[in-house]
Amino acid sequence: MSVLVVAENSNTELKSSTFNTITAASNISDEIHVVVIGSDCEGVAKQTSYFEKVKKVWHIDDPRYDNPIAEVIAPIIVKLSENYSHILAPASTFGKNFMPRVSALLDFSQISDVIKIESEDTFVRPIYAGNAFATVQSKDEKKIVTIRPTSFDPAISEGGKADIEKISFENDEKLVEFIGREESKSDRPELGTARIVISGGRGLQSSENFSMINDIADKLNAAVGASRAAVDAGYVSNDYQVGQTGKVVVPDLYIAVGISGAIQHLAGMKESKIIVAINKDEEAPIFNIADYGLCADLFEALPQLSAELDKLNTIQK
Amino acid sequence: MKILVAVKRVIDYNVQIRVKADGSGVETENVKMSMNPPDENAVEEALRVKESGKANEVVIVSIGEEKSKETIRTALAMGADRGIFVKSNSNIEPICVAKALKKIVDTEKPDLVFMGKQAIDDDCNQTGQMLSALLGWSQGTFASKIELNENEISITREIDEGLEMLKLKLPSIITCDLRLNEPRYASLPNIMKAKKKPIQDLNIEDLEVDTAPRINFLKVEEPPKREKGIMVNSIEELVSKLKNEAKVI
Ligand SMILES: Cc1cc2nc3c(=O)[nH]c(=O)nc-3n(C[C@H](O)[C@H](O)[C@H](O)COP(=O)(O)OP(=O)(O)OC[C@H]3O[C@@H](n4cnc5c(N)ncnc54)[C@H](O)[C@@H]3O)c2cc1C
Ligand SMILES: Nc1ncnc2c1ncn2[C@@H]1O[C@H](COP(=O)(O)O)[C@@H](O)[C@H]1O
């Protein structure tokens, strides 16, 4: 048994989701190989070789791979797949985009968004927005699996010295032209890995008011999230969305402000260690899963919270 | 130009689902069913393309039990032209759905296939990408904006980092996000009209797709329940609890 992990990277560094996926792979086999595809990504290949758990790194480097295009990546993974029993990628929008193509080209089923590995062929995955957990057994010869990063600890990138083998592939795919990306830049921690997340919902009423959330986030060194309603209303951009069709977060502390607690939102945050809800409606379903609930008007509560945090001088950064 | 839209019948998103006591699945008896939400966006977008004069036919396809025909009717009531119903008994896996859809595409020869980005029952997020790979077409997943031109389609995709813009050669598969548009409601006259629109009946066997499951559901369980916590009376109390009791700040 051997596992091929497809690394999510930005050409300059590995994304955190790859660290978690390597841990998931180590629950299946000791023979873990990682493929790094990108443009000018030699540093990433090197970084990958330092994982103690990784035995080999495939380094595929070409300007054509500057942006991950599913139609380009999938055939590469298919060609590499021959000697592997499992192919793993993070269940991020990166992995979700190309992995089903790999499955279809190889004629296997895909197991999406795995949160637990029971054995080499048996996996646990949430269905119905996390309202049920299914334990599924794959009968396919190769297992094509995407991993929910927040369900696995990050692997340690130290102590290893895996072989790096540089290879290249012919590819004349011309179906897709990359036009551009709009990435929100922020100095705050990444939503998917932050220790503290504070999210705002429709209750915030406007993007101006949303700055109250940002203010608290800065004081707590927290990432900022949002409900779909807040994104739909344009208070913040889509990459803030937490939930069934957004991101999944599992911070030590999740603070939901002006969020009612629809099941689709809970799907993205209810595994958080401590949940705080601030809502003026005492019947709001979010209170059913909150460790600490405060029934209050957020326009009064947030400034108070901000002032109270100023009083604490021992905030762990 | 012809647009094919794939719609799935799922438990309505407002229903609090219940896991069966014997662990075999979730309760579907007497539960409200609806069109998978992003599939409504797919239907809506196809209708808008048609209304803009860039397409002349919108065909709806659904694979599933007999009742999936009602979901096709819903799309016809929104304004689609005709339907194709593929009967299959069991809940077939995305790879099999994709193969069945490929057979439909081979005969219907649409220029575009619109689908939802994810079915809210299995949460697989696979079928569109698989169909695209089987056909060797371009794919535009998680689309929140599209613009159709002569031989290509420009799309904006929602990705973890923000937005990504691509230009795809036609024919293409587009999987739709909920933010793509606001789906219309069917008016009463249109619901009446839809009753007369044609729906072709097929069986999954007619399409010669192997539907044998590759994935066994060993068990379906309820996730661990969270204990209900406490209500605090003030921000001071909250901050003190977070600091001294939960020790998270
Ligand atoms: C297929 C599908 C997928 C979805 N995916 C997601 C997803 O990924 N993520 C997601 O979040 N949603 C998702 N949704 C939407 C979800 O169903 C809810 O509509 C959404 O989460 C509601 O957001 P909200 O809580 O901000 O808004 P609302 O439900 O409108 O709640 C606003 C809350 O703010 C409170 N409030 C208002 N004013 C104040 C005030 N001054 N002070 C204090 N509290 C106040 C109100 O009491 C209320 O509880 C999805 C829906 C569907 C159909
Ligand atoms: N049985 C089906 N019949 C028609 N379309 C389907 C079916 N299953 C999935 N789809 C389409 O594929 C999309 C993604 O589904 P999934 O890959 O299961 O998350 C859905 O939003 C539908 O557009």
Side-chain angles (χ1 to χ4, degrees):
Chain A
M1 237 169 322
S2 53
V3 186
L4 179 68
V5 171
V6 186
E8 179 167 18
N9 76 92
S10 65
N11 294 322
T12 51
E13 58 179 2
L14 281 178
K15 298 218 171 159
S16 60
S17 59
T18 308
F19 290 63
N20 313 93
T21 308
I22 289 172
T23 298
S26 71
N27 292 337
I28 298 169
S29 159
D30 290 334
E31 197 61 31
I32 301 174
H33 298 183
V34 180
V35 52
V36 173
I37 306 175
S39 166
D40 243 335
C41 61
E42 202 178 325
V44 183
K46 246 202 203 112
Q47 184 192 0
T48 310
S49 71
Y50 301 150
F51 284 97
E52 206 184 339
K53 290 180 166 145
V54 173
K55 296 278 157 63
K56 182 182 184 125
V57 179
W58 298 104
H59 173 204
I60 304 174
D61 207 317
D62 192 285
R64 287 173 299 179
Y65 309 138
D66 198 20
N67 290 287
I69 301 290
E71 290 86 335
V72 174
I73 294 178
I76 295 177
I77 305 305
V78 168
K79 285 198 187 118
L80 271 180
S81 68
E82 202 181 338
N83 296 316
Y84 297 98
S85 56
H86 295 71
I87 304 175
L88 267 55
S92 53
T93 51
F94 164 76
K96 286 172 182 170
N97 197 31
F98 76 90
M99 281 288 265
R101 292 188 79 90
V102 173
S103 301
L105 295 172
L106 291 169
D107 193 12
F108 297 127
S109 262
Q110 175 181 306
I111 305 170
S112 293
D113 218 5
V114 164
I115 58 170
K116 193 166 164 215
I117 293 168
E118 298 276 12
S119 73
E120 47 97 11
D121 66 359
T122 304
F123 309 90
V124 181
R125 58 178 305 263
I127 53 176
Y128 293 93
N131 285 299
F133 285 174
T135 304
V136 298
Q137 183 177 37
S138 161
K139 293 189 276 192
D140 279 323
E141 178 196 320
K142 283 187 206 299
K143 323 295 184 212
I144 316 292
V145 180
T146 63
I147 296 294
R148 178 177 285 197
T150 50
S151 297
F152 297 87
D153 290 332
I156 294 162
S157 154
E158 248 174 40
K161 45 175 189 322
D163 279 345
I164 303 177
E165 190 173 332
K166 196 165 175 177
I167 47 170
S168 59
F169 290 92
E170 288 297 310
N171 198 312
D172 53 3
E173 196 287 315
K174 296 223 170 51
L175 296 174
V176 183
E177 188 188 336
F178 178 83
I179 304 297
R181 268 190 185 202
E182 273 171 28
E183 298 190 12
S184 7
K185 291 268 175 278
S186 134
D187 297 332
R188 294 195 194 96
E190 205 187 305
L191 186 51
T193 49
R195 207 179 61 79
I196 302 179
V197 172
I198 177 164
S199 291
R202 204 197 310 265
L204 266 299
Q205 290 176 10
S206 72
S207 56
E208 291 76 43
N209 293 340
F210 218 89
S211 62
M212 297 164 68
I213 297 283
N214 299 341
D215 169 60
I216 308 281
D218 291 338
K219 291 184 183 176
L220 288 169
N221 193 27
V224 175
S227 69
R228 175 171 275 280
V231 176
D232 286 355
Y235 307 164
V236 287
S237 56
N238 63 286
D239 46 302
Y240 285 71
Q241 185 181 311
V242 171
Q244 182 184 21
T245 47
K247 286 181 181 146
V248 178
V249 300
V250 188
D252 289 349
L253 173 61
Y254 187 89
I255 307 175
V257 183
I259 291 178
S260 60
I263 53 170
Q264 294 86 7
H265 186 79
L266 304 190
M269 46 64 75
K270 71 174 177 206
E271 305 298 319
S272 304
K273 213 166 111 207
I274 298 288
I275 296 173
V276 169
I278 301 176
N279 196 303
K280 70 175 179 191
D281 172 11
E282 62 180 343
E283 304 281 310
I286 190 81
F287 287 132
N288 295 331
I289 60 143
D291 298 284
Y292 302 107
L294 176 66
C295 184
D297 188 321
L298 68 90
F299 294 103
E300 286 163 23
L302 286 180
Q304 284 170 13
L305 178 57
S306 178
E308 200 63 24
L309 292 176
D310 285 338
K311 287 191 215 157
L312 288 182
N313 48 15
T314 53
I315 295 169
Q316 310 159 16
K317 289 272 165 174
Chain B
M1 170 163 311
K2 188 198 276 189
I3 305 178
L4 187 71
V5 186
V7 299
K8 186 178 187 186
R9 185 170 180 269
V10 297
I11 294 181
D12 187 85
Y13 78 95
N14 273 316
V15 171
Q16 178 65 52
I17 67 117
R18 274 183 303 135
V19 174
K20 285 188 191 161
D22 65 359
S24 63
V26 308
E27 205 60 68
T28 52
E29 293 281 315
N30 299 319
V31 168
K32 185 180 177 210
M33 306 289 284
S34 302
M35 190 187 301
N36 183 43
D39 303 2
E40 293 184 335
N41 300 85
V43 174
E44 175 66 33
E45 199 66 19
L47 295 175
R48 291 188 189 187
V49 172
K50 186 183 169 194
E51 284 156 5
S52 76
K54 288 179 181 162
N56 43 26
E57 196 180 24
V58 175
V59 182
I60 307 296
V61 55
S62 190
I63 302 167
E65 293 176 0
E66 195 66 32
K67 289 239 170 91
S68 301
K69 256 182 160 167
E70 290 172 18
T71 309
I72 297 179
R73 278 288 166 220
T74 306
L76 297 180
M78 286 169 75
D81 298 294
R82 63 186 169 88
I84 301 170
F85 167 60
V86 183
K87 187 168 173 176
S88 87
N89 284 324
S90 53
N91 233 337
I92 62 171
E93 291 165 25
I95 182 79
C96 308
V97 174
K99 286 181 180 177
L101 291 175
K102 178 177 184 294
K103 292 280 168 74
I104 304 284
V105 168
D106 288 342
T107 45
E108 288 287 329
K109 300 190 171 46
D111 304 274
L112 278 168
V113 181
F114 286 175
M115 308 172 66
K117 77 164 177 182
Q118 177 174 336
I120 62 162
D121 50 359
D122 62 23
D123 282 329
C124 275
N125 195 330
Q126 301 174 0
T127 312
Q129 297 88 314
M130 287 178 162
L131 175 61
S132 164
L134 295 175
L135 288 164
W137 290 10
S138 60
Q139 75 177 36
T141 54
F142 328 145
S144 59
K145 200 172 151 201
I146 68 164
E147 195 190 308
L148 184 59
N149 298 311
E150 196 72 6
N151 293 312
E152 60 186 33
I153 181 164
S154 297
I155 74 152
T156 301
R157 314 177 48 228
E158 296 207 344
I159 58 170
D160 290 339
E161 297 82 4
L163 298 173
E164 181 177 86
M165 278 64 75
L166 300 175
K167 212 180 256 181
L168 312 171
K169 284 236 168 73
L170 295 185
S172 189
I173 308 286
I174 306 295
T175 78
C176 303
D177 185 84
L178 298 171
R179 267 186 284 274
L180 180 60
N181 54 43
E182 190 67 49
R184 70 194 65 187
Y185 289 101
S187 66
L188 201 56
N190 284 345
I191 293 172
M192 301 312 290
K193 253 196 262 170
K195 296 201 166 132
K196 295 198 199 80
K197 291 182 179 174
I199 298 181
Q200 182 188 356
D201 279 297
L202 293 172
N203 274 305
I204 190 96
E205 290 80 26
D206 302 337
L207 299 174
E208 292 171 352
V209 173
D210 173 16
T211 55
R214 289 106 169 283
I215 295 176
N216 269 345
F217 274 68
L218 300 183
K219 62 174 184 238
V220 174
E221 305 165 282
E222 278 193 35
K225 276 241 174 346
R226 259 194 108 93
E227 296 271 323
K228 195 174 153 75
I230 57 160
M231 295 300 284
V232 295
N233 293 312
S234 68
I235 284 287
E236 287 82 26
E237 189 186 348
L238 175 64
V239 170
S240 143
K241 294 261 189 227
L242 291 178
K243 190 166 162 48
N244 304 317
E245 193 174 274
K247 299 189 174 31
V248 284
I249 59 170

